[in-house]
Amino acid sequence: MEVGIKNVFGSIGEAVTKGEGKTKVSMLIMGFGQMLRGQILKGIAFLVSEVAFILYMILFGAKYCSKLGTLGDTVTQKVGRKTVYGDNSFLILLFSILTVFVIAAFILLWYLNIRDNLNQEKLLAQGKSLPSNKTVFESLFDKNFDKTLLALPVTGIFVFTVLPIIFMICVAFTNYDKNHQSPTNLFTWVGMANFKRLLSFGSSGIGSTFVQVLAWTLVWAFFATFIDYFLGLAVAMLINKKGVNFKRLWRTILVLTIAVPQFVSLLYIMKLFSNDGLLNGWMMKLGWISSPIQFWVDPMLARITIIVVNIWIGIPYMMLIATGLLMNIPEDLYESARIDGATGWQMFRSITLPYMLFVTGPFLLTQFTANLNNFNVIYLLTQGKPQSIRLAEKAGSTDLLVTWLYKMTVNDTNYCMAAVLGIMVFIVTAVVSLVVYNALPSVKDEEGFQ
Amino acid sequence: MKKKILVSFLAVLMVLGLVGCGKKNYGTGEIKVWVADNVVEFTDNQIKSFMEANPEYAGYTVTIEPVGEGDAAGQVITDVTAAADIYAFPQDQIARLVSAGALEVVNPDYEADVKKNNDAGSIGAATVGEKLYAYPLTSDNGYFLYYDKSVVTDPSSLEKIVADCEAAGKNFYFEVNSGWYQTAFFFATGCELTYDTDDNGNFTKANVSYASDAGVVALREIIELCASPSFQNGSSAGEATNVGAIVDGTWDSAAVKEIMGDNYACAKLPSFEGSDGKTYQLSGFGGFKLLGVKPQEDENKLAVCDAIANYLASEEVQLARYNEVGWGPSNIKAQGSADVKADEALSALGEQLAFSIPQGQYPGDYWNLATSLGDSVRNGEISASSSDADLMAALQNFQDTCVSYAK
Amino acid sequence: MNKSYKKKQARSNVIAHIALIIISIIWLFPFVGLLLQSFRSYDPNVEYGGMVDYLIPKHFSLDNYKFLFSGQTNFIRWYCNTIIIAVFVALFQTLIVLCVSYALSRMRFTGRTFLMRFWLVLGMFPGFLTMICLYFLLKQFGLTQAGAVPGLILVGVASSGMAYYVCKGYFDTIPKALDEAARIDGATRARVFVMMTLPMSKPIIIYTALVAFMAPWCDYVFASYVAFGHDESYNVAVAMTRWVWTNDYQGYFTRFCAGGVLVAIPVTILFMCLQKYYVEGVTGGAVKG
């Protein structure tokens, strides 16, 4: 890294001290040197981006950036019966961040421009000729094909993922909530106040609620992942069993759950299990129970019901994966074990399971992190309910961190706390991934089964 | 020269005079209206006839979108600039809307008439601080009892209703985990829960007395009700099954009629015998639907919006709306019409309103807090075996949290 | 010995079949229920459209389906919106994923590992976090409410580059020697990609497109956030969940079931036809994951 910085300043210094006139002019008018040396295409590209940058800053960037410190101070007013909106803190923050990135990108481009000039100078000094415009263009489909391929996707990810995430991280340090909402009201920086609130356990803090939601999130992810994994494996082995007919039919039936959109199937199941739903209705008609089983009301029962319903969703997926993998296990391993008199269970424990765990280790990890953030199942089934007076900020007993975050955003417009929660979700996911990844057998022992 | 000046002066005067005559130019623009799905067509027709009768507003095109009243407030707050210019919402959202800058005060030209023509409760609901922020649409947002005549023999006693439903194997629906229905018990025993607001929709003070002996009696009654096998938590007839009785509002009267057929009947809420041996009449909220106008950057457009909203909330439209979809009017004259008076559900509601409290402003958090309290009862965190001290502690916690919402 | 082994085998087979039949019943039950309820009329003169505690309708009726196509709601419009979004997202997302995967699998450039790690880290942020920001970004381009359909396509496509994992894993298994040989013959990278790699990648292309196609059918969260207040821009999920969750729609439950059946049919048929590729993609992804 240090060498890199030295190089950067080295070449800038070189351009200032030793560079020829064209290069020095290029420091002000980008692309000037390239154009004079006949590289019209490259030169124009540099020049256009410089002009675009200056226009952007004058017309757009500067006016937002100047207010970044306070996030706006002109308040909304009434003139007669008409409303005159003041500063929009939201747009100030958003476009300021964008502008910071634009400036950074421009500095990089400016540096590339200088370096390119120096390179050209050197090539010419050595008596070599510069690549023609045509070659430069064609290289975009060969040597530099990666730039062509990645330009659009990287831009897309930057605008629609990176920028919003950085924006929301910033929001975590503001008081952007229902009382400070653009465009009518301003919001401003409040430092660490939101984090303090999340992690304080007093009456005004929501620490204990956060801990409970976090705990349930982890417990849920654990059960949802492993129960589905083993049951899915079991079903796959059942279907794969020698002597079982209609293998395709069984698989197709199970796979239906993946094909039917969840908002249809899960909403139906939600109604199925409700107190006045079909299931309770039947059991009461049959006289099995005298009062309805409170599937979605009792916190513990609701959690168990969710895990059970999730089995219904998870097994088919795991079954598909396991079916493919089970066929990869060499049959002679089982044969020799059978000759040694091993029982089915022993064979499972010493051959099937180790192989599966080894091969699907990374898959289990991604499943686990996906379950940490499994919004659909929880939200469509319970929306986080039942609530309890012991939980703050409208959290419910089956709320995961993400569903809680969602409710804060949509129902409460408590964006600053939602942003803090989002950062917490990130930390939890990252820590779990890091710890588990390093403990994976396939990472520790790459040779293993290969 | 002088003549010329005189002529132009006269011309200016004439133009001013024309404007003064009321043929003001309102310019052009688009106005978006959000109302519930089942009144979209009705509202559309009403606005069309209004625009025909008032050609001075012809520059504006009005579009109507079905957005449920429950969803409207949340969506308006998400992005005020993209929201509808005129939208209907239940009154419990008004303070939140005002503090988010999503409601304009009622046009002073109409204010006096609106206040005079609608019942006092609805005006109270549309007022935040000292300012009138919305046009009342209905006064039927209260609840009462629907019951099946073949199941319930005596609708005046909660204990008997529950016993009848149990005996018949039918369900009794009462949404005790909703802050709206729950107050039926607490207000019945004499507990108080109201908030004071300032002009900007901020809550300044909470007046609450849940943590009292009366509160414990009410909570015990809720616990007792929840323990019945026939009890179901719910208030939406469309989703209810095997109904013996349901505490619900007028908006579901059609659905209840469908379910109960000839055995359809309604009454005011029953009374119950509390744990202290006294008898209490269930109370609750009387609520209102309101029509709001969003703040505008163009004064002309605001005037047009105000005119439309005022029209949609007027006596004849309220009456027409009643005839079309059965919404009980807030307009005093419309309430007095023979049709409205003959309505079974509305008269049951009218009876109940004598025992209800007009719903004022409540912070959004209250509704969730109440749901939490109700859920805690339903899931057994608070049960019949809890001591009075436990119940008092839970209510004290509830009350403290209520107080903490007002600053 | 042999005989008793066979007997045991036969018995365990019977048990296995019984177990599978029970499993099938449990797994099919919600779908059968959905289908049956969709044939219960909502017309009060015939039956009742809300929740009931019996499964089989007393009268068979197509009222719910008639309602959906009658134009009383924008159902057809919602359905078309969803199809349009799904088709375009599938198309562009597949293109982008292929481009990114090829670049990351075949080319070595500065910042390659950084890019991969950076995207991995980005993926750990919950998606809902940025909803409000995305909404206002789209609004700047006029792609909310009335423009929500193209807006949703844009958001669905924009960040799809991050989902390169399975596809890159597949490309990694295509021998590099093939590329090298073609390059020696004078083919450019672009040519190799289009003429050689893509034709060999049919399974992964179909897998990527299929997964991308199925996602928008389920998108309630973001779609409702972007399209709010504009009925004509809703997709089926946004429009129909209202029938279950909002009190304005009493007795719409059977109509929801009918709509659900109509939504499930095309996706299911497509999925069943392409199931083979899906399994291949999922399994490959899991192993290399």
Side-chain angles (χ1 to χ4, degrees), chain A residues 265-280 296 380-381, chain B residues 236 238-239, chain C residues 51 243-245 253 256:
Chain A
S265 53
L266 286 183
L267 283 181
Y268 186 81
I269 291 178
M270 181 262 286
K271 291 280 183 193
L272 201 64
F273 278 91
S274 66
N275 276 1
D276 48 0
L278 203 55
L279 221 53
N280 269 319
W296 301 132
L380 291 175
L381 288 177
Chain B
S236 146
E239 290 172 22
Chain C
M51 289 284 293
W243 295 351
V244 182
W245 274 338
F253 182 66
F256 170 81

PDB file of all heavy atoms in Angstrom, chain A residues 265-280 296 380-381, chain B residues 236 238-239, chain C residues 51 243-245 253 256:
ATOM      1  N   SER A 265     -48.926 -19.640  -0.809  1.00  0.00           N
ATOM      2  CA  SER A 265     -48.970 -20.829   0.036  1.00  0.00           C
ATOM      3  C   SER A 265     -48.875 -20.464   1.512  1.00  0.00           C
ATOM      4  O   SER A 265     -49.603 -21.013   2.334  1.00  0.00           O
ATOM      5  CB  SER A 265     -47.862 -21.808  -0.353  1.00  0.00           C
ATOM      6  OG  SER A 265     -46.623 -21.168  -0.366  1.00  0.00           O
ATOM      7  N   LEU A 266     -48.006 -19.505   1.864  1.00  0.00           N
ATOM      8  CA  LEU A 266     -47.844 -19.204   3.285  1.00  0.00           C
ATOM      9  C   LEU A 266     -49.046 -18.476   3.867  1.00  0.00           C
ATOM     10  O   LEU A 266     -49.435 -18.728   5.002  1.00  0.00           O
ATOM     11  CB  LEU A 266     -46.567 -18.380   3.514  1.00  0.00           C
ATOM     12  CG  LEU A 266     -45.279 -19.181   3.380  1.00  0.00           C
ATOM     13  CD1 LEU A 266     -44.076 -18.314   3.687  1.00  0.00           C
ATOM     14  CD2 LEU A 266     -45.295 -20.386   4.301  1.00  0.00           C
ATOM     15  N   LEU A 267     -49.649 -17.585   3.091  1.00  0.00           N
ATOM     16  CA  LEU A 267     -50.838 -16.911   3.610  1.00  0.00           C
ATOM     17  C   LEU A 267     -51.953 -17.921   3.831  1.00  0.00           C
ATOM     18  O   LEU A 267     -52.729 -17.821   4.771  1.00  0.00           O
ATOM     19  CB  LEU A 267     -51.297 -15.799   2.659  1.00  0.00           C
ATOM     20  CG  LEU A 267     -50.469 -14.524   2.708  1.00  0.00           C
ATOM     21  CD1 LEU A 267     -51.015 -13.488   1.743  1.00  0.00           C
ATOM     22  CD2 LEU A 267     -50.451 -13.947   4.105  1.00  0.00           C
ATOM     23  N   TYR A 268     -52.019 -18.910   2.931  1.00  0.00           N
ATOM     24  CA  TYR A 268     -53.039 -19.938   3.119  1.00  0.00           C
ATOM     25  C   TYR A 268     -52.767 -20.732   4.392  1.00  0.00           C
ATOM     26  O   TYR A 268     -53.674 -20.991   5.186  1.00  0.00           O
ATOM     27  CB  TYR A 268     -53.094 -20.870   1.901  1.00  0.00           C
ATOM     28  CG  TYR A 268     -54.239 -21.849   2.007  1.00  0.00           C
ATOM     29  CD1 TYR A 268     -55.520 -21.452   1.661  1.00  0.00           C
ATOM     30  CD2 TYR A 268     -54.050 -23.131   2.503  1.00  0.00           C
ATOM     31  CE1 TYR A 268     -56.590 -22.317   1.800  1.00  0.00           C
ATOM     32  CE2 TYR A 268     -55.106 -23.998   2.646  1.00  0.00           C
ATOM     33  CZ  TYR A 268     -56.372 -23.592   2.292  1.00  0.00           C
ATOM     34  OH  TYR A 268     -57.430 -24.441   2.438  1.00  0.00           O
ATOM     35  N   ILE A 269     -51.512 -21.096   4.596  1.00  0.00           N
ATOM     36  CA  ILE A 269     -51.169 -21.876   5.786  1.00  0.00           C
ATOM     37  C   ILE A 269     -51.410 -21.065   7.048  1.00  0.00           C
ATOM     38  O   ILE A 269     -51.856 -21.589   8.072  1.00  0.00           O
ATOM     39  CB  ILE A 269     -49.711 -22.351   5.694  1.00  0.00           C
ATOM     40  CG1 ILE A 269     -49.607 -23.383   4.576  1.00  0.00           C
ATOM     41  CG2 ILE A 269     -49.240 -22.932   7.001  1.00  0.00           C
ATOM     42  CD1 ILE A 269     -48.232 -23.893   4.363  1.00  0.00           C
ATOM     43  N   MET A 270     -51.121 -19.757   6.974  1.00  0.00           N
ATOM     44  CA  MET A 270     -51.370 -18.896   8.131  1.00  0.00           C
ATOM     45  C   MET A 270     -52.838 -19.006   8.555  1.00  0.00           C
ATOM     46  O   MET A 270     -53.152 -19.172   9.725  1.00  0.00           O
ATOM     47  CB  MET A 270     -50.998 -17.463   7.754  1.00  0.00           C
ATOM     48  CG  MET A 270     -51.162 -16.445   8.840  1.00  0.00           C
ATOM     49  SD  MET A 270     -52.702 -15.542   8.702  1.00  0.00           S
ATOM     50  CE  MET A 270     -52.362 -14.458   7.327  1.00  0.00           C
ATOM     51  N   LYS A 271     -53.720 -18.942   7.564  1.00  0.00           N
ATOM     52  CA  LYS A 271     -55.150 -19.035   7.864  1.00  0.00           C
ATOM     53  C   LYS A 271     -55.509 -20.426   8.381  1.00  0.00           C
ATOM     54  O   LYS A 271     -56.391 -20.578   9.210  1.00  0.00           O
ATOM     55  CB  LYS A 271     -55.967 -18.743   6.608  1.00  0.00           C
ATOM     56  CG  LYS A 271     -55.870 -17.306   6.170  1.00  0.00           C
ATOM     57  CD  LYS A 271     -56.790 -16.444   6.990  1.00  0.00           C
ATOM     58  CE  LYS A 271     -56.763 -15.003   6.527  1.00  0.00           C
ATOM     59  NZ  LYS A 271     -57.411 -14.124   7.491  1.00  0.00           N
ATOM     60  N   LEU A 272     -54.817 -21.417   7.858  1.00  0.00           N
ATOM     61  CA  LEU A 272     -55.077 -22.804   8.225  1.00  0.00           C
ATOM     62  C   LEU A 272     -54.872 -23.022   9.716  1.00  0.00           C
ATOM     63  O   LEU A 272     -55.633 -23.715  10.378  1.00  0.00           O
ATOM     64  CB  LEU A 272     -54.113 -23.686   7.433  1.00  0.00           C
ATOM     65  CG  LEU A 272     -54.443 -25.146   7.225  1.00  0.00           C
ATOM     66  CD1 LEU A 272     -55.690 -25.249   6.395  1.00  0.00           C
ATOM     67  CD2 LEU A 272     -53.282 -25.825   6.523  1.00  0.00           C
ATOM     68  N   PHE A 273     -53.827 -22.397  10.265  1.00  0.00           N
ATOM     69  CA  PHE A 273     -53.464 -22.628  11.655  1.00  0.00           C
ATOM     70  C   PHE A 273     -54.117 -21.636  12.613  1.00  0.00           C
ATOM     71  O   PHE A 273     -53.904 -21.721  13.809  1.00  0.00           O
ATOM     72  CB  PHE A 273     -51.940 -22.520  11.828  1.00  0.00           C
ATOM     73  CG  PHE A 273     -51.201 -23.766  11.452  1.00  0.00           C
ATOM     74  CD1 PHE A 273     -50.723 -23.958  10.174  1.00  0.00           C
ATOM     75  CD2 PHE A 273     -50.978 -24.753  12.402  1.00  0.00           C
ATOM     76  CE1 PHE A 273     -50.040 -25.104   9.839  1.00  0.00           C
ATOM     77  CE2 PHE A 273     -50.291 -25.901  12.067  1.00  0.00           C
ATOM     78  CZ  PHE A 273     -49.818 -26.078  10.775  1.00  0.00           C
ATOM     79  N   SER A 274     -54.863 -20.652  12.099  1.00  0.00           N
ATOM     80  CA  SER A 274     -55.360 -19.627  13.003  1.00  0.00           C
ATOM     81  C   SER A 274     -56.401 -20.229  13.947  1.00  0.00           C
ATOM     82  O   SER A 274     -56.902 -21.319  13.731  1.00  0.00           O
ATOM     83  CB  SER A 274     -55.951 -18.454  12.217  1.00  0.00           C
ATOM     84  OG  SER A 274     -57.086 -18.886  11.526  1.00  0.00           O
ATOM     85  N   ASN A 275     -56.694 -19.485  15.022  1.00  0.00           N
ATOM     86  CA  ASN A 275     -57.588 -20.001  16.063  1.00  0.00           C
ATOM     87  C   ASN A 275     -58.925 -20.455  15.511  1.00  0.00           C
ATOM     88  O   ASN A 275     -59.512 -21.416  15.971  1.00  0.00           O
ATOM     89  CB  ASN A 275     -57.851 -18.900  17.096  1.00  0.00           C
ATOM     90  CG  ASN A 275     -56.744 -18.847  18.113  1.00  0.00           C
ATOM     91  OD1 ASN A 275     -55.791 -19.619  18.012  1.00  0.00           O
ATOM     92  ND2 ASN A 275     -56.872 -17.968  19.062  1.00  0.00           N
ATOM     93  N   ASP A 276     -59.411 -19.709  14.515  1.00  0.00           N
ATOM     94  CA  ASP A 276     -60.692 -20.081  13.941  1.00  0.00           C
ATOM     95  C   ASP A 276     -60.498 -20.728  12.566  1.00  0.00           C
ATOM     96  O   ASP A 276     -61.381 -20.734  11.746  1.00  0.00           O
ATOM     97  CB  ASP A 276     -61.613 -18.855  13.838  1.00  0.00           C
ATOM     98  CG  ASP A 276     -60.897 -17.673  13.216  1.00  0.00           C
ATOM     99  OD1 ASP A 276     -59.705 -17.818  12.882  1.00  0.00           O
ATOM    100  OD2 ASP A 276     -61.507 -16.613  13.057  1.00  0.00           O
ATOM    101  N   GLY A 277     -59.314 -21.226  12.334  1.00  0.00           N
ATOM    102  CA  GLY A 277     -58.991 -21.809  11.039  1.00  0.00           C
ATOM    103  C   GLY A 277     -59.482 -23.246  10.906  1.00  0.00           C
ATOM    104  O   GLY A 277     -60.088 -23.814  11.810  1.00  0.00           O
ATOM    105  N   LEU A 278     -59.147 -23.800   9.758  1.00  0.00           N
ATOM    106  CA  LEU A 278     -59.629 -25.124   9.405  1.00  0.00           C
ATOM    107  C   LEU A 278     -59.163 -26.192  10.402  1.00  0.00           C
ATOM    108  O   LEU A 278     -59.940 -27.038  10.842  1.00  0.00           O
ATOM    109  CB  LEU A 278     -59.108 -25.452   8.007  1.00  0.00           C
ATOM    110  CG  LEU A 278     -59.862 -26.474   7.194  1.00  0.00           C
ATOM    111  CD1 LEU A 278     -61.309 -26.070   7.087  1.00  0.00           C
ATOM    112  CD2 LEU A 278     -59.229 -26.571   5.821  1.00  0.00           C
ATOM    113  N   LEU A 279     -57.895 -26.116  10.772  1.00  0.00           N
ATOM    114  CA  LEU A 279     -57.301 -27.154  11.609  1.00  0.00           C
ATOM    115  C   LEU A 279     -57.979 -27.219  12.973  1.00  0.00           C
ATOM    116  O   LEU A 279     -58.424 -28.272  13.423  1.00  0.00           O
ATOM    117  CB  LEU A 279     -55.807 -26.857  11.767  1.00  0.00           C
ATOM    118  CG  LEU A 279     -54.869 -28.031  11.693  1.00  0.00           C
ATOM    119  CD1 LEU A 279     -55.092 -28.838  10.439  1.00  0.00           C
ATOM    120  CD2 LEU A 279     -53.446 -27.536  11.778  1.00  0.00           C
ATOM    121  N   ASN A 280     -58.073 -26.037  13.619  1.00  0.00           N
ATOM    122  CA  ASN A 280     -58.735 -25.983  14.918  1.00  0.00           C
ATOM    123  C   ASN A 280     -60.202 -26.362  14.798  1.00  0.00           C
ATOM    124  O   ASN A 280     -60.747 -27.060  15.654  1.00  0.00           O
ATOM    125  CB  ASN A 280     -58.600 -24.587  15.522  1.00  0.00           C
ATOM    126  CG  ASN A 280     -57.357 -24.475  16.389  1.00  0.00           C
ATOM    127  OD1 ASN A 280     -57.037 -25.392  17.138  1.00  0.00           O
ATOM    128  ND2 ASN A 280     -56.658 -23.372  16.268  1.00  0.00           N
ATOM    129  N   TRP A 296     -50.908 -19.244  16.828  1.00  0.00           N
ATOM    130  CA  TRP A 296     -50.199 -17.977  16.571  1.00  0.00           C
ATOM    131  C   TRP A 296     -50.238 -17.032  17.766  1.00  0.00           C
ATOM    132  O   TRP A 296     -49.800 -15.908  17.676  1.00  0.00           O
ATOM    133  CB  TRP A 296     -50.785 -17.258  15.358  1.00  0.00           C
ATOM    134  CG  TRP A 296     -50.757 -18.004  14.078  1.00  0.00           C
ATOM    135  CD1 TRP A 296     -51.795 -18.159  13.218  1.00  0.00           C
ATOM    136  CD2 TRP A 296     -49.653 -18.695  13.478  1.00  0.00           C
ATOM    137  NE1 TRP A 296     -51.416 -18.915  12.137  1.00  0.00           N
ATOM    138  CE2 TRP A 296     -50.109 -19.259  12.272  1.00  0.00           C
ATOM    139  CE3 TRP A 296     -48.327 -18.915  13.858  1.00  0.00           C
ATOM    140  CZ2 TRP A 296     -49.292 -20.004  11.429  1.00  0.00           C
ATOM    141  CZ3 TRP A 296     -47.507 -19.660  13.025  1.00  0.00           C
ATOM    142  CH2 TRP A 296     -47.981 -20.192  11.833  1.00  0.00           C
ATOM    143  N   LEU A 380     -45.011 -13.424   6.519  1.00  0.00           N
ATOM    144  CA  LEU A 380     -46.272 -13.904   5.950  1.00  0.00           C
ATOM    145  C   LEU A 380     -47.051 -14.737   6.959  1.00  0.00           C
ATOM    146  O   LEU A 380     -48.273 -14.771   6.928  1.00  0.00           O
ATOM    147  CB  LEU A 380     -46.018 -14.714   4.677  1.00  0.00           C
ATOM    148  CG  LEU A 380     -45.511 -13.898   3.482  1.00  0.00           C
ATOM    149  CD1 LEU A 380     -45.166 -14.801   2.321  1.00  0.00           C
ATOM    150  CD2 LEU A 380     -46.549 -12.877   3.039  1.00  0.00           C
ATOM    151  N   LEU A 381     -46.355 -15.399   7.879  1.00  0.00           N
ATOM    152  CA  LEU A 381     -47.070 -16.231   8.840  1.00  0.00           C
ATOM    153  C   LEU A 381     -47.565 -15.443  10.047  1.00  0.00           C
ATOM    154  O   LEU A 381     -48.719 -15.535  10.439  1.00  0.00           O
ATOM    155  CB  LEU A 381     -46.190 -17.395   9.307  1.00  0.00           C
ATOM    156  CG  LEU A 381     -45.951 -18.511   8.285  1.00  0.00           C
ATOM    157  CD1 LEU A 381     -45.015 -19.557   8.859  1.00  0.00           C
ATOM    158  CD2 LEU A 381     -47.255 -19.160   7.867  1.00  0.00           C
TER     159      LEU A 381
ATOM    160  N   SER B 236     -63.287  -9.036  12.700  1.00  0.00           N
ATOM    161  CA  SER B 236     -63.569  -8.871  11.297  1.00  0.00           C
ATOM    162  C   SER B 236     -64.466 -10.005  10.839  1.00  0.00           C
ATOM    163  O   SER B 236     -64.055 -11.167  10.782  1.00  0.00           O
ATOM    164  CB  SER B 236     -62.231  -8.841  10.562  1.00  0.00           C
ATOM    165  OG  SER B 236     -62.351  -9.421   9.337  1.00  0.00           O
ATOM    166  N   GLY B 238     -65.635 -10.894   8.114  1.00  0.00           N
ATOM    167  CA  GLY B 238     -65.266 -11.629   6.908  1.00  0.00           C
ATOM    168  C   GLY B 238     -64.307 -12.767   7.190  1.00  0.00           C
ATOM    169  O   GLY B 238     -64.195 -13.694   6.412  1.00  0.00           O
ATOM    170  N   GLU B 239     -63.596 -12.674   8.294  1.00  0.00           N
ATOM    171  CA  GLU B 239     -62.623 -13.720   8.589  1.00  0.00           C
ATOM    172  C   GLU B 239     -63.068 -14.596   9.740  1.00  0.00           C
ATOM    173  O   GLU B 239     -62.339 -15.473  10.168  1.00  0.00           O
ATOM    174  CB  GLU B 239     -61.270 -13.081   8.911  1.00  0.00           C
ATOM    175  CG  GLU B 239     -60.660 -12.471   7.670  1.00  0.00           C
ATOM    176  CD  GLU B 239     -59.418 -11.653   7.992  1.00  0.00           C
ATOM    177  OE1 GLU B 239     -58.821 -11.885   9.048  1.00  0.00           O
ATOM    178  OE2 GLU B 239     -59.084 -10.796   7.182  1.00  0.00           O
TER     179      GLU B 239
ATOM    180  N   MET C  51     -63.788 -16.743   5.576  1.00  0.00           N
ATOM    181  CA  MET C  51     -63.247 -17.970   6.139  1.00  0.00           C
ATOM    182  C   MET C  51     -64.398 -18.854   6.608  1.00  0.00           C
ATOM    183  O   MET C  51     -65.374 -18.364   7.161  1.00  0.00           O
ATOM    184  CB  MET C  51     -62.390 -17.644   7.364  1.00  0.00           C
ATOM    185  CG  MET C  51     -61.099 -16.962   7.034  1.00  0.00           C
ATOM    186  SD  MET C  51     -59.909 -18.105   6.371  1.00  0.00           S
ATOM    187  CE  MET C  51     -59.597 -19.115   7.807  1.00  0.00           C
ATOM    188  N   TRP C 243     -56.252  -8.414   0.078  1.00  0.00           N
ATOM    189  CA  TRP C 243     -57.512  -9.148   0.260  1.00  0.00           C
ATOM    190  C   TRP C 243     -57.489  -9.999   1.514  1.00  0.00           C
ATOM    191  O   TRP C 243     -58.528 -10.423   1.999  1.00  0.00           O
ATOM    192  CB  TRP C 243     -57.806 -10.025  -0.964  1.00  0.00           C
ATOM    193  CG  TRP C 243     -58.043  -9.231  -2.208  1.00  0.00           C
ATOM    194  CD1 TRP C 243     -58.181  -7.876  -2.284  1.00  0.00           C
ATOM    195  CD2 TRP C 243     -58.172  -9.719  -3.530  1.00  0.00           C
ATOM    196  NE1 TRP C 243     -58.381  -7.497  -3.578  1.00  0.00           N
ATOM    197  CE2 TRP C 243     -58.383  -8.606  -4.368  1.00  0.00           C
ATOM    198  CE3 TRP C 243     -58.133 -10.994  -4.090  1.00  0.00           C
ATOM    199  CZ2 TRP C 243     -58.542  -8.729  -5.744  1.00  0.00           C
ATOM    200  CZ3 TRP C 243     -58.299 -11.120  -5.454  1.00  0.00           C
ATOM    201  CH2 TRP C 243     -58.505 -10.000  -6.281  1.00  0.00           C
ATOM    202  N   VAL C 244     -56.289 -10.291   1.977  1.00  0.00           N
ATOM    203  CA  VAL C 244     -56.194 -11.105   3.179  1.00  0.00           C
ATOM    204  C   VAL C 244     -55.937 -10.234   4.404  1.00  0.00           C
ATOM    205  O   VAL C 244     -56.440 -10.495   5.488  1.00  0.00           O
ATOM    206  CB  VAL C 244     -55.056 -12.140   3.035  1.00  0.00           C
ATOM    207  CG1 VAL C 244     -54.983 -13.033   4.250  1.00  0.00           C
ATOM    208  CG2 VAL C 244     -55.275 -12.968   1.794  1.00  0.00           C
ATOM    209  N   TRP C 245     -55.148  -9.175   4.227  1.00  0.00           N
ATOM    210  CA  TRP C 245     -54.688  -8.422   5.382  1.00  0.00           C
ATOM    211  C   TRP C 245     -55.522  -7.195   5.717  1.00  0.00           C
ATOM    212  O   TRP C 245     -55.514  -6.719   6.833  1.00  0.00           O
ATOM    213  CB  TRP C 245     -53.230  -7.975   5.164  1.00  0.00           C
ATOM    214  CG  TRP C 245     -52.255  -9.012   5.566  1.00  0.00           C
ATOM    215  CD1 TRP C 245     -52.474 -10.043   6.439  1.00  0.00           C
ATOM    216  CD2 TRP C 245     -50.903  -9.156   5.125  1.00  0.00           C
ATOM    217  NE1 TRP C 245     -51.340 -10.802   6.564  1.00  0.00           N
ATOM    218  CE2 TRP C 245     -50.370 -10.277   5.770  1.00  0.00           C
ATOM    219  CE3 TRP C 245     -50.093  -8.426   4.260  1.00  0.00           C
ATOM    220  CZ2 TRP C 245     -49.055 -10.694   5.580  1.00  0.00           C
ATOM    221  CZ3 TRP C 245     -48.795  -8.844   4.075  1.00  0.00           C
ATOM    222  CH2 TRP C 245     -48.279  -9.973   4.718  1.00  0.00           C
ATOM    223  N   PHE C 253     -61.716 -13.912   0.781  1.00  0.00           N
ATOM    224  CA  PHE C 253     -60.756 -14.993   0.940  1.00  0.00           C
ATOM    225  C   PHE C 253     -60.788 -15.975  -0.230  1.00  0.00           C
ATOM    226  O   PHE C 253     -59.755 -16.367  -0.752  1.00  0.00           O
ATOM    227  CB  PHE C 253     -61.007 -15.732   2.258  1.00  0.00           C
ATOM    228  CG  PHE C 253     -60.026 -16.819   2.518  1.00  0.00           C
ATOM    229  CD1 PHE C 253     -58.697 -16.529   2.738  1.00  0.00           C
ATOM    230  CD2 PHE C 253     -60.430 -18.146   2.520  1.00  0.00           C
ATOM    231  CE1 PHE C 253     -57.780 -17.532   2.969  1.00  0.00           C
ATOM    232  CE2 PHE C 253     -59.513 -19.158   2.752  1.00  0.00           C
ATOM    233  CZ  PHE C 253     -58.195 -18.853   2.973  1.00  0.00           C
ATOM    234  N   PHE C 256     -59.132 -14.553  -3.139  1.00  0.00           N
ATOM    235  CA  PHE C 256     -57.684 -14.653  -2.984  1.00  0.00           C
ATOM    236  C   PHE C 256     -57.206 -16.048  -3.404  1.00  0.00           C
ATOM    237  O   PHE C 256     -56.210 -16.187  -4.112  1.00  0.00           O
ATOM    238  CB  PHE C 256     -57.295 -14.386  -1.522  1.00  0.00           C
ATOM    239  CG  PHE C 256     -55.859 -14.702  -1.213  1.00  0.00           C
ATOM    240  CD1 PHE C 256     -54.868 -13.802  -1.532  1.00  0.00           C
ATOM    241  CD2 PHE C 256     -55.502 -15.909  -0.623  1.00  0.00           C
ATOM    242  CE1 PHE C 256     -53.541 -14.086  -1.262  1.00  0.00           C
ATOM    243  CE2 PHE C 256     -54.181 -16.199  -0.357  1.00  0.00           C
ATOM    244  CZ  PHE C 256     -53.194 -15.284  -0.675  1.00  0.00           C
TER     245      PHE C 256
END
